[in-house]
Structures are given as structure tokens and as C-alpha cells.
Coordinates of all heavy atoms in Angstrom, one line a residue:
M16 N 6.2 -3.9 17.4 CA 7.0 -3.9 16.1 C 8.1 -2.7 16.3 O 7.7 -1.6 16.7 CB 6.0 -3.5 14.9 CG 6.9 -3.3 13.6 SD 5.8 -3.1 12.1 CE 4.7 -1.8 12.6
S17 N 9.3 -3.1 16.0 CA 10.4 -2.2 16.1 C 10.3 -1.2 14.9 O 10.1 -1.6 13.8 CB 11.7 -3.0 16.1 OG 12.8 -2.1 16.1
D18 N 10.7 0.0 15.2 CA 10.8 1.1 14.2 C 12.0 0.9 13.2 O 12.1 1.4 12.1 CB 10.9 2.4 14.7 CG 9.6 3.0 15.4 OD1 8.7 2.4 14.9 OD2 9.7 3.8 16.2
D19 N 13.0 0.0 13.7 CA 14.2 -0.2 12.9 C 14.0 -1.4 11.9 O 14.8 -1.7 11.1 CB 15.4 -0.4 13.7 CG 15.4 -1.6 14.6 OD1 14.3 -2.2 14.7 OD2 16.4 -2.1 15.1
Q20 N 12.8 -2.1 12.0 CA 12.5 -3.2 10.9 C 12.2 -2.5 9.6 O 11.5 -1.5 9.5 CB 11.3 -3.9 11.4 CG 11.6 -5.1 12.3 CD 10.4 -6.0 12.4 OE1 9.2 -5.4 12.6 NE2 10.6 -7.1 12.5
S21 N 12.7 -3.2 8.6 CA 12.5 -2.7 7.2 C 11.1 -3.2 6.8 O 10.5 -4.1 7.4 CB 13.5 -3.2 6.2 OG 13.3 -4.5 6.0
A22 N 10.5 -2.6 5.7 CA 9.3 -3.1 5.2 C 9.3 -4.6 4.8 O 8.5 -5.3 5.1 CB 8.8 -2.2 4.0
L23 N 10.5 -4.9 4.2 CA 10.7 -6.4 3.8 C 10.8 -7.2 5.1 O 10.1 -8.3 4.9 CB 12.0 -6.4 3.0 CG 12.3 -7.9 2.5 CD1 11.3 -8.3 1.6 CD2 13.7 -7.8 1.8
D24 N 11.4 -6.9 6.1 CA 11.3 -7.6 7.4 C 9.9 -7.9 7.9 O 9.5 -8.9 8.2 CB 12.2 -7.0 8.4 CG 13.7 -7.0 8.2 OD1 14.1 -7.9 7.5 OD2 14.4 -6.1 8.6
R25 N 9.2 -6.8 7.9 CA 7.7 -6.9 8.2 C 7.0 -7.8 7.3 O 6.2 -8.6 7.8 CB 7.1 -5.5 8.3 CG 7.8 -4.6 9.5 CD 7.0 -3.4 9.8 NE 6.8 -2.6 8.6 CZ 7.7 -1.6 8.3 NH1 8.8 -1.3 9.0 NH2 7.4 -0.8 7.3
L26 N 7.2 -7.7 6.1 CA 6.5 -8.6 5.1 C 6.9 -10.0 5.3 O 6.0 -11.0 5.3 CB 6.8 -8.2 3.7 CG 6.2 -9.1 2.6 CD1 4.6 -9.1 2.6 CD2 6.7 -8.7 1.2
I27 N 8.2 -10.3 5.5 CA 8.7 -11.6 5.8 C 8.0 -12.3 7.0 O 7.6 -13.5 7.0 CB 10.2 -11.7 5.8 CG1 10.8 -11.4 4.3 CG2 10.7 -13.0 6.4 CD1 12.3 -11.1 4.4
A28 N 7.9 -11.4 8.0 CA 7.2 -11.9 9.3 C 5.7 -12.2 9.0 O 5.3 -13.3 9.6 CB 7.2 -10.9 10.4
L29 N 5.0 -11.6 8.2 CA 3.6 -11.8 7.9 C 3.5 -12.9 6.8 O 2.6 -13.7 6.8 CB 2.9 -10.6 7.3 CG 2.8 -9.4 8.4 CD1 2.3 -8.2 7.8 CD2 1.8 -9.9 9.5
V30 N 4.3 -12.8 5.7 CA 4.2 -13.8 4.6 C 5.5 -14.4 4.3 O 6.3 -13.6 3.6 CB 3.6 -13.0 3.4 CG1 3.4 -14.0 2.2 CG2 2.3 -12.3 3.7
P31 N 5.9 -15.4 4.8 CA 7.3 -16.0 4.5 C 7.5 -16.3 3.1 O 6.5 -16.5 2.3 CB 7.3 -17.3 5.4 CG 6.1 -17.2 6.4 CD 5.1 -16.3 5.7
P32 N 8.7 -16.0 2.6 CA 9.1 -16.3 1.2 C 8.9 -17.8 0.9 O 8.9 -18.7 1.8 CB 10.6 -15.9 1.2 CG 10.9 -15.0 2.3 CD 9.9 -15.6 3.4
P33 N 8.7 -18.0 -0.4 CA 8.6 -19.5 -0.6 C 9.8 -20.3 -0.2 O 10.9 -19.7 -0.4 CB 8.4 -19.5 -2.3 CG 8.7 -18.1 -2.6 CD 8.7 -17.2 -1.6
A34 N 9.6 -21.6 -0.1 CA 10.7 -22.5 0.2 C 11.7 -22.6 -0.9 O 12.9 -22.7 -0.7 CB 10.2 -23.8 0.6
E35 N 11.3 -22.6 -2.1 CA 12.1 -22.6 -3.3 C 11.7 -21.5 -4.3 O 11.0 -21.7 -5.3 CB 11.9 -24.0 -4.0 CG 12.4 -25.2 -3.1 CD 12.4 -26.4 -3.7 OE1 12.3 -26.6 -5.0 OE2 12.3 -27.5 -3.1
P36 N 12.1 -20.4 -4.0 CA 11.9 -19.2 -4.9 C 12.4 -19.5 -6.3 O 13.4 -20.1 -6.5 CB 12.6 -18.1 -4.4 CG 13.2 -18.5 -3.0 CD 13.1 -19.9 -3.0
V37 N 11.7 -18.8 -7.4 CA 12.2 -18.9 -8.7 C 12.8 -17.6 -9.0 O 12.2 -16.5 -9.0 CB 10.8 -19.2 -9.6 CG1 11.4 -19.0 -11.1 CG2 10.2 -20.4 -9.3
F38 N 14.2 -17.7 -9.5 CA 14.9 -16.6 -9.7 C 15.2 -16.5 -11.1 O 15.4 -17.5 -11.9 CB 16.2 -16.5 -8.9 CG 16.0 -16.5 -7.5 CD1 16.4 -17.6 -6.7 CD2 15.5 -15.4 -6.9 CE1 16.2 -17.5 -5.2 CE2 15.3 -15.3 -5.4 CZ 15.6 -16.4 -4.6
G39 N 15.5 -15.2 -11.7 CA 16.0 -15.1 -13.0 C 17.5 -15.5 -13.0 O 18.0 -15.7 -11.9
T40 N 18.0 -15.7 -14.2 CA 19.4 -16.3 -14.1 C 20.4 -15.2 -14.5 O 21.6 -15.4 -14.2 CB 19.6 -17.2 -15.4 OG1 19.1 -16.6 -16.6 CG2 18.6 -18.4 -15.2
G41 N 20.1 -13.9 -14.9 CA 20.9 -12.9 -15.1 C 21.3 -12.1 -13.7 O 20.8 -12.4 -12.7
S42 N 22.1 -11.1 -13.9 CA 22.5 -10.3 -12.6 C 21.9 -9.0 -12.8 O 21.5 -8.6 -13.8 CB 24.1 -10.2 -12.6 OG 24.5 -9.4 -13.7
W43 N 21.8 -8.3 -11.7 CA 21.2 -6.9 -11.7 C 22.2 -6.1 -12.5 O 21.6 -5.2 -13.2 CB 21.1 -6.4 -10.2 CG 20.1 -7.2 -9.4 CD1 20.3 -8.0 -8.5 CD2 18.7 -7.1 -9.7 NE1 19.1 -8.5 -8.1 CE2 18.1 -8.0 -8.7 CE3 17.8 -6.5 -10.6 CZ2 16.7 -8.2 -8.7 CZ3 16.5 -6.7 -10.6 CH2 15.9 -7.5 -9.6
E44 N 23.4 -6.2 -12.5 CA 24.3 -5.4 -13.2 C 24.2 -5.6 -14.8 O 24.1 -4.6 -15.6 CB 25.8 -5.7 -12.9 CG 26.2 -5.4 -11.5 CD 25.8 -6.3 -10.4 OE1 25.4 -7.5 -10.7 OE2 25.7 -5.9 -9.2
E45 N 24.0 -6.9 -15.3 CA 23.8 -7.1 -16.6 C 22.4 -6.5 -17.0 O 22.3 -6.0 -18.1 CB 23.7 -8.7 -16.8 CG 25.0 -9.3 -16.7 CD 24.9 -10.9 -16.7 OE1 23.9 -11.5 -16.3 OE2 25.7 -11.6 -17.3
L46 N 21.4 -6.6 -16.3 CA 20.1 -6.0 -16.5 C 20.2 -4.6 -16.7 O 19.6 -4.0 -17.6 CB 19.0 -6.4 -15.5 CG 17.7 -5.9 -15.7 CD1 17.0 -6.6 -17.0 CD2 16.8 -6.3 -14.5
T47 N 20.8 -3.8 -15.9 CA 21.0 -2.5 -16.0 C 21.8 -2.1 -17.1 O 21.4 -1.2 -18.0 CB 21.7 -1.9 -14.7 OG1 20.9 -2.2 -13.5 CG2 22.0 -0.4 -14.7
A48 N 22.9 -2.9 -17.4 CA 23.6 -2.6 -18.7 C 22.8 -2.8 -20.0 O 23.0 -2.0 -21.0 CB 24.8 -3.4 -18.8
D49 N 22.0 -3.7 -20.0 CA 21.1 -4.1 -21.1 C 19.9 -3.1 -21.4 O 19.6 -3.0 -22.5 CB 20.5 -5.6 -21.0 CG 21.6 -6.6 -21.2 OD1 22.7 -6.3 -21.6 OD2 21.3 -7.8 -20.8
T50 N 19.4 -2.7 -20.2 CA 18.2 -1.8 -20.4 C 18.3 -0.4 -19.9 O 17.5 0.4 -20.3 CB 17.2 -2.4 -19.5 OG1 17.6 -2.3 -18.1 CG2 16.8 -3.9 -19.8
G51 N 19.4 -0.1 -19.3 CA 19.5 1.3 -18.8 C 18.6 1.6 -17.6 O 18.5 2.8 -17.2
V52 N 17.9 0.6 -17.1 CA 17.1 0.7 -15.9 C 17.7 0.3 -14.7 O 18.3 -0.8 -14.6 CB 15.8 -0.1 -16.1 CG1 14.9 0.0 -14.9 CG2 15.0 0.3 -17.5
R53 N 17.8 1.2 -13.6 CA 18.3 0.8 -12.3 C 17.1 0.6 -11.5 O 16.2 1.5 -11.2 CB 19.2 1.9 -11.8 CG 20.5 1.9 -12.3 CD 21.4 3.0 -11.7 NE 21.0 4.2 -12.2 CZ 21.4 5.4 -11.7 NH1 22.1 5.4 -10.6 NH2 20.9 6.5 -12.2
F54 N 16.9 -0.5 -10.8 CA 15.8 -0.8 -9.9 C 16.1 -0.4 -8.5 O 17.3 -0.3 -8.1 CB 15.5 -2.3 -10.0 CG 15.0 -2.7 -11.2 CD1 15.8 -3.1 -12.3 CD2 13.6 -2.8 -11.4 CE1 15.3 -3.5 -13.6 CE2 13.1 -3.2 -12.7 CZ 13.8 -3.6 -13.7
P55 N 15.2 0.0 -7.8 CA 15.4 0.4 -6.3 C 15.9 -0.7 -5.6 O 15.6 -1.9 -5.8 CB 13.9 0.8 -5.8 CG 13.1 1.0 -7.1 CD 13.7 0.1 -8.2
A56 N 16.7 -0.4 -4.5 CA 17.4 -1.3 -3.7 C 16.4 -2.2 -2.9 O 16.6 -3.4 -2.9 CB 18.3 -0.7 -2.7
D57 N 15.3 -1.7 -2.5 CA 14.3 -2.5 -1.8 C 13.5 -3.5 -2.7 O 13.2 -4.6 -2.3 CB 13.3 -1.6 -0.9 CG 12.5 -0.6 -1.9 OD1 13.0 -0.4 -3.1 OD2 11.6 0.0 -1.4
Y58 N 13.3 -3.1 -3.9 CA 12.7 -4.0 -4.9 C 13.8 -5.2 -5.2 O 13.3 -6.4 -5.2 CB 12.4 -3.3 -6.3 CG 12.0 -4.3 -7.4 CD1 10.6 -4.8 -7.3 CD2 12.7 -4.7 -8.3 CE1 10.2 -5.6 -8.3 CE2 12.3 -5.6 -9.3 CZ 11.0 -6.0 -9.3 OH 10.6 -6.9 -10.2
M59 N 15.0 -4.8 -5.3 CA 16.0 -6.0 -5.6 C 16.1 -6.9 -4.4 O 16.2 -8.2 -4.5 CB 17.4 -5.3 -6.0 CG 17.3 -4.7 -7.3 SD 19.0 -4.1 -7.9 CE 19.3 -2.8 -6.7
A60 N 16.0 -6.3 -3.1 CA 16.0 -7.1 -2.0 C 14.8 -8.0 -1.9 O 15.0 -9.2 -1.5 CB 16.2 -6.3 -0.7
F61 N 13.7 -7.5 -2.3 CA 12.4 -8.3 -2.3 C 12.7 -9.5 -3.2 O 12.4 -10.7 -2.9 CB 11.3 -7.5 -2.7 CG 10.0 -8.3 -2.9 CD1 9.2 -8.5 -1.9 CD2 9.7 -8.8 -4.1 CE1 8.1 -9.3 -2.0 CE2 8.6 -9.5 -4.4 CZ 7.7 -9.8 -3.2
I62 N 13.1 -9.2 -4.4 CA 13.2 -10.3 -5.4 C 14.3 -11.3 -4.9 O 14.1 -12.5 -5.2 CB 13.6 -9.7 -6.8 CG1 12.5 -8.8 -7.3 CG2 14.0 -10.7 -7.9 CD1 11.3 -9.6 -7.8
E63 N 15.4 -10.9 -4.3 CA 16.4 -11.8 -3.8 C 15.7 -12.7 -2.7 O 16.3 -13.9 -2.6 CB 17.5 -11.0 -3.3 CG 18.4 -10.2 -4.3 CD 19.0 -11.2 -5.3 OE1 19.3 -12.3 -5.0 OE2 19.1 -10.8 -6.5
R64 N 14.7 -12.4 -2.1 CA 14.1 -13.2 -1.0 C 12.9 -14.0 -1.6 O 12.8 -15.2 -1.3 CB 13.6 -12.4 0.1 CG 14.6 -11.8 1.0 CD 15.5 -12.8 1.5 NE 14.9 -13.8 2.5 CZ 14.8 -13.8 3.8 NH1 15.4 -12.8 4.4 NH2 14.2 -14.8 4.5
Y65 N 12.0 -13.4 -2.4 CA 10.8 -14.0 -2.8 C 10.9 -14.6 -4.4 O 10.1 -15.4 -4.7 CB 9.7 -13.0 -2.8 CG 9.2 -12.9 -1.3 CD1 9.7 -11.9 -0.5 CD2 8.1 -13.6 -0.9 CE1 9.3 -11.7 0.7 CE2 7.7 -13.4 0.4 CZ 8.3 -12.5 1.2 OH 7.9 -12.2 2.5
G66 N 11.7 -14.1 -5.1 CA 11.9 -14.4 -6.5 C 10.7 -14.0 -7.3 O 9.8 -13.1 -6.8
R67 N 10.3 -14.6 -8.4 CA 9.1 -14.3 -9.1 C 8.0 -15.0 -8.3 O 8.1 -16.2 -7.9 CB 9.2 -15.0 -10.5 CG 7.8 -14.8 -11.3 CD 7.9 -15.7 -12.6 NE 7.9 -17.1 -12.3 CZ 8.3 -18.0 -13.1 NH1 8.7 -17.8 -14.3 NH2 8.2 -19.2 -12.8
C68 N 6.9 -14.2 -8.0 CA 5.9 -14.8 -7.1 C 4.6 -14.2 -7.3 O 4.3 -13.3 -8.2 CB 6.3 -14.6 -5.6 SG 6.5 -12.8 -5.2
E69 N 3.6 -14.6 -6.6 CA 2.2 -14.2 -6.8 C 1.5 -14.2 -5.4 O 1.8 -15.0 -4.6 CB 1.4 -15.2 -7.7 CG 0.1 -14.8 -8.0 CD -0.6 -15.7 -9.0 OE1 -0.4 -15.5 -10.2 OE2 -1.2 -16.6 -8.5
F70 N 0.9 -13.1 -5.1 CA 0.2 -12.9 -3.8 C -1.3 -13.0 -4.1 O -1.9 -12.3 -5.0 CB 0.5 -11.5 -3.1 CG 2.0 -11.5 -2.7 CD1 3.0 -11.0 -3.5 CD2 2.2 -11.8 -1.3 CE1 4.3 -11.0 -2.9 CE2 3.4 -11.8 -0.8 CZ 4.5 -11.4 -1.7
A71 N -2.0 -13.8 -3.4 CA -3.4 -14.0 -3.4 C -3.9 -14.3 -4.7 O -5.0 -13.9 -5.1 CB -4.0 -12.7 -2.8
R72 N -3.1 -14.9 -5.7 CA -3.5 -15.2 -7.0 C -3.9 -14.1 -7.8 O -4.6 -14.2 -8.9 CB -4.6 -16.2 -7.0 CG -4.1 -17.6 -6.4 CD -5.2 -18.6 -6.5 NE -4.6 -19.8 -5.8 CZ -5.5 -20.8 -5.5 NH1 -6.8 -20.7 -5.6 NH2 -5.0 -21.8 -4.9
W73 N -3.6 -12.9 -7.5 CA -3.9 -11.7 -8.3 C -2.9 -10.7 -8.5 O -2.9 -9.9 -9.5 CB -5.2 -11.0 -7.9 CG -5.0 -10.3 -6.5 CD1 -5.2 -10.8 -5.3 CD2 -4.5 -8.9 -6.3 NE1 -4.8 -9.8 -4.3 CE2 -4.4 -8.7 -4.9 CE3 -4.1 -7.9 -7.2 CZ2 -4.0 -7.5 -4.3 CZ3 -3.7 -6.6 -6.6 CH2 -3.7 -6.6 -5.2
M74 N -1.8 -10.6 -7.7 CA -0.8 -9.6 -7.8 C 0.5 -10.5 -8.1 O 1.1 -11.1 -7.2 CB -0.6 -8.7 -6.6 CG 0.5 -7.8 -6.8 SD 0.6 -6.6 -5.3 CE 1.7 -7.5 -4.3
G75 N 1.0 -10.4 -9.3 CA 2.2 -11.2 -9.7 C 3.4 -10.2 -9.6 O 3.3 -9.1 -10.1
I76 N 4.5 -10.7 -9.1 CA 5.8 -9.9 -9.1 C 6.7 -10.6 -10.0 O 7.0 -11.9 -9.8 CB 6.3 -10.0 -7.6 CG1 5.3 -9.4 -6.6 CG2 7.6 -9.0 -7.7 CD1 4.8 -8.0 -6.7
Y77 N 7.2 -10.0 -10.9 CA 8.2 -10.5 -12.0 C 9.6 -10.2 -11.7 O 10.0 -9.1 -11.2 CB 7.7 -9.8 -13.3 CG 8.5 -10.1 -14.5 CD1 8.5 -11.4 -15.1 CD2 9.5 -9.2 -15.1 CE1 9.2 -11.7 -16.2 CE2 10.2 -9.5 -16.1 CZ 10.1 -10.8 -16.7 OH 10.8 -11.1 -17.8
D78 N 10.4 -11.3 -11.8 CA 11.8 -11.0 -11.7 C 12.4 -10.7 -13.1 O 12.4 -11.4 -14.0 CB 12.5 -12.3 -11.2 CG 14.0 -12.2 -11.0 OD1 14.6 -11.1 -11.5 OD2 14.6 -13.0 -10.4
P79 N 12.8 -9.4 -13.3 CA 13.1 -8.9 -14.5 C 14.4 -9.6 -15.1 O 14.7 -9.5 -16.3 CB 13.3 -7.4 -14.4 CG 13.5 -7.2 -13.0 CD 12.8 -8.3 -12.2
R80 N 15.1 -10.2 -14.2 CA 16.4 -10.9 -14.7 C 15.9 -12.2 -15.5 O 16.9 -12.8 -16.1 CB 17.2 -11.2 -13.6 CG 17.7 -10.0 -12.9 CD 18.4 -10.3 -11.5 NE 17.5 -11.1 -10.6 CZ 17.9 -11.7 -9.6 NH1 19.1 -11.7 -9.3 NH2 17.0 -12.4 -8.9
E81 N 14.7 -12.6 -15.4 CA 14.3 -13.8 -16.1 C 14.0 -13.4 -17.6 O 13.2 -12.5 -17.7 CB 13.0 -14.3 -15.4 CG 12.6 -15.6 -15.9 CD 11.4 -16.2 -15.1 OE1 10.9 -15.5 -14.2 OE2 10.8 -17.2 -15.5
P82 N 14.4 -14.2 -18.5 CA 14.0 -13.9 -19.9 C 12.5 -13.9 -20.1 O 12.0 -14.8 -19.5 CB 14.8 -14.9 -20.8 CG 15.8 -15.5 -19.8 CD 15.3 -15.3 -18.4
P83 N 12.0 -13.0 -20.8 CA 10.5 -13.1 -21.1 C 10.1 -14.3 -21.8 O 10.8 -14.7 -22.7 CB 10.2 -11.8 -21.8 CG 11.5 -11.4 -22.4 CD 12.7 -11.9 -21.5
K84 N 8.9 -14.8 -21.6 CA 8.4 -15.9 -22.2 C 7.6 -15.4 -23.5 O 7.2 -14.2 -23.4 CB 7.6 -16.8 -21.3 CG 8.4 -17.5 -20.3 CD 7.5 -18.2 -19.3 CE 8.2 -18.8 -18.2 NZ 9.0 -17.9 -17.3
E85 N 7.2 -16.2 -24.3 CA 6.4 -15.8 -25.5 C 5.2 -15.1 -24.9 O 4.5 -15.7 -24.2 CB 6.0 -17.1 -26.3 CG 5.3 -16.8 -27.5 CD 6.0 -16.1 -28.6 OE1 7.3 -16.3 -28.8 OE2 5.4 -15.3 -29.4
G86 N 4.9 -14.0 -25.5 CA 3.6 -13.2 -25.1 C 3.8 -12.4 -23.9 O 3.0 -11.6 -23.6
E87 N 5.0 -12.5 -23.1 CA 5.2 -11.6 -21.9 C 5.9 -10.3 -22.6 O 6.6 -10.3 -23.5 CB 6.0 -12.3 -21.0 CG 5.4 -13.3 -20.3 CD 6.2 -13.9 -19.1 OE1 7.5 -13.8 -19.1 OE2 5.6 -14.4 -18.2
W88 N 5.8 -9.2 -21.7 CA 6.5 -8.0 -22.1 C 8.0 -8.2 -21.9 O 8.4 -9.0 -21.1 CB 5.9 -6.9 -21.2 CG 6.0 -7.0 -19.7 CD1 5.0 -7.7 -19.0 CD2 7.0 -6.6 -19.0 NE1 5.5 -7.8 -17.7 CE2 6.6 -7.1 -17.6 CE3 8.2 -6.0 -19.0 CZ2 7.4 -6.8 -16.5 CZ3 8.9 -5.7 -18.0 CH2 8.6 -6.2 -16.6
D89 N 8.7 -7.4 -22.5 CA 10.2 -7.4 -22.6 C 10.7 -6.2 -22.1 O 10.5 -5.1 -22.7 CB 10.7 -7.8 -24.0 CG 12.2 -7.9 -24.1 OD1 12.9 -7.6 -23.1 OD2 12.7 -8.4 -25.1
L90 N 11.3 -6.2 -21.0 CA 11.8 -4.9 -20.3 C 12.8 -4.2 -21.2 O 12.8 -2.9 -21.3 CB 12.5 -5.2 -19.0 CG 12.9 -4.1 -18.2 CD1 11.7 -3.2 -17.7 CD2 13.6 -4.6 -16.9
A91 N 13.6 -4.9 -22.1 CA 14.5 -4.3 -22.9 C 13.8 -3.3 -23.9 O 14.4 -2.3 -24.4 CB 15.4 -5.4 -23.6
L92 N 12.6 -3.6 -24.3 CA 11.9 -2.8 -25.1 C 11.5 -1.4 -24.6 O 11.1 -0.5 -25.3 CB 10.5 -3.5 -25.7 CG 10.8 -4.8 -26.4 CD1 9.4 -5.4 -26.7 CD2 11.6 -4.6 -27.7
W93 N 11.6 -1.4 -23.3 CA 11.2 0.0 -22.7 C 12.3 1.1 -23.1 O 12.0 2.2 -23.2 CB 11.2 0.0 -21.2 CG 10.0 -0.8 -20.7 CD1 9.2 -1.6 -21.5 CD2 9.4 -0.8 -19.4 NE1 8.1 -2.1 -20.7 CE2 8.3 -1.7 -19.4 CE3 9.8 -0.3 -18.2 CZ2 7.6 -1.9 -18.3 CZ3 9.0 -0.5 -17.1 CH2 7.9 -1.2 -17.1
G94 N 13.5 0.7 -23.3 CA 14.5 1.6 -23.7 C 14.7 2.8 -22.9 O 13.8 3.4 -22.3
G95 N 16.0 3.3 -22.9 CA 16.1 4.5 -22.2 C 16.4 4.4 -20.7 O 17.4 4.6 -20.1
G96 N 15.3 4.0 -20.0 CA 15.2 3.7 -18.6 C 15.6 5.0 -17.8 O 15.4 6.0 -18.2
V97 N 16.0 4.8 -16.6 CA 16.4 5.9 -15.7 C 17.8 6.0 -15.7 O 18.6 5.1 -15.5 CB 15.9 5.4 -14.3 CG1 16.3 6.6 -13.2 CG2 14.5 5.2 -14.2
P98 N 18.3 7.3 -15.9 CA 19.8 7.5 -16.1 C 20.5 7.3 -14.7 O 20.0 7.3 -13.7 CB 19.9 8.9 -16.5 CG 18.5 9.6 -16.3 CD 17.5 8.4 -16.2

């Protein structure tokens, strides 16, 4: 394994992204403007490859650009975010 591989590259080699990932419809810029939350670059890169997904049926990864469904948490309610 090369030291210059990113963690995302190593994950993709072990667990390929879905053939048809499910993505949110908004942009990262809109999400930041709406919530005040800036997500880490590696998280955004992960979402751009895998979309909303689940690993081993127990660890779900949510695309925050996707509007929440009834009963799901709403990121906009967190308010304030990271400056």
C-alpha cells in the first residue's frame, strides 16, 4: 500500500462504491449557507463517491444535502454550526 493513498482510496479498494449511489439534491454551498455547518473535505469526498449508504447493515451514512424524511433528524435544527 502506498503512503500517498488517501483513506478514501483505500476504502474504495476494499469496498467499492455502489453502482448507483443515492445523492442529496442540494449543493454543499447551499447546505453551509442554510445551516452554518462546514463539513470536512474528506467527508464531502466520501459522500460524492458513496452517497447515502449503509455498511454491514448497521452503520448508516447520511447525505445531509438530502431533505430529511418524516421522523428523521433535521440538520438545520442544529443551528449555529461551526463558524
Side-chain angles (χ1 to χ4, degrees):
M16 174 174 55
S17 172
D18 287 338
D19 63 347
Q20 275 190 315
S21 72
L23 181 58
D24 291 333
R25 293 190 301 270
L26 177 63
I27 290 168
L29 293 170
V30 183
E35 296 182 22
V37 177
F38 298 112
T40 56
S42 72
W43 293 108
E44 293 79 16
E45 290 171 326
L46 182 64
T47 298
D49 290 347
T50 64
V52 175
R53 280 185 286 165
F54 289 88
D57 56 349
Y58 175 77
M59 292 186 292
F61 173 88
I62 293 296
E63 292 298 327
R64 289 302 300 261
Y65 285 85
R67 179 186 67 199
C68 60
E69 188 175 272
F70 287 89
R72 297 186 181 160
W73 66 269
M74 185 175 83
I76 309 293
Y77 176 70
D78 183 343
R80 299 169 302 168
E81 183 178 3
K84 294 174 182 64
E85 183 70 30
E87 288 184 335
W88 55 275
D89 185 349
L90 186 63
L92 297 177
W93 287 17
V97 178

